[in-house]
Amino acid sequence: FCGPSSFALPFPAPNGTIVGESNALNFTLCEPGTFQPKIGQTRCFPCPIGFVCPDFGLVKPLLCPSGYVCDRIGLSSPSNSCPKGHYCRVGTRTTNMETFIGHYGWKKSTESGVVTVDLNEWTWKTKE
């Protein structure tokens, strides 16, 4: 008895690629600005905010490099340089500190406009 030929069985598209339809044999690499972590998928995901997807066929997005701000979805390269006089760490998502206002643990100074951690909102425990 001879089993089915290995060429007759469709292989799922590898991660980082997509197929036009389910069980198709041909696949396409995800475009820059997108990624696909799973095998056998029909669409790529846009690169999330705080990340870049610079190459074809990415399996996972790369953190936005230090010195840059990645504040949009679907970036293949950083969208903006860090503002003059500031340092942007790896994965920086925004330069607009207003986005933190109203979230637990942050406050904005009415005098300077600077957004800081509100120490009154945090509970600090020490070992007894």
Side-chain angles (χ1 to χ4, degrees):
F1 170 77
C2 292
S5 167
S6 63
F7 295 107
L9 298 175
F11 293 98
N15 48 7
T17 67
I18 55 171
V19 292
E21 57 188 59
S22 143
N23 293 329
L25 296 176
N26 295 327
F27 59 85
T28 304
L29 294 173
C30 290
E31 296 279 331
T34 66
F35 72 103
Q36 179 48 260
K38 296 182 179 180
I39 62 172
Q41 301 300 304
T42 57
R43 70 180 184 94
C44 297
F45 296 117
C47 211
I49 293 174
F51 294 84
V52 292
C53 297
D55 297 317
F56 286 90
L58 283 182
V59 174
K60 65 180 182 176
L62 307 174
L63 280 169
C64 186
S66 62
Y68 293 93
V69 179
C70 298
D71 57 359
R72 293 190 322 245
I73 293 173
L75 293 176
S76 59
S77 63
S79 52
N80 299 306
S81 294
C82 193
K84 187 176 181 177
H86 292 82
Y87 174 75
C88 295
R89 298 178 71 170
V90 170
T92 297
R93 299 173 183 200
T94 183
T95 57
N96 181 5
M97 293 306 293
E98 295 291 326
T99 58
F100 291 100
I101 303 302
H103 291 275
Y104 178 81
W106 298 94
K107 68 177 179 178
K108 181 178 180 181
S109 168
T110 54
E111 291 179 30
S112 68
V114 173
V115 177
T116 59
V117 173
D118 184 357
L119 296 177
N120 294 324
E121 293 290 325
W122 296 92
T123 303
W124 304 97
K125 292 186 178 183
T126 58
K127 290 184 179 182
E128 296 179 4

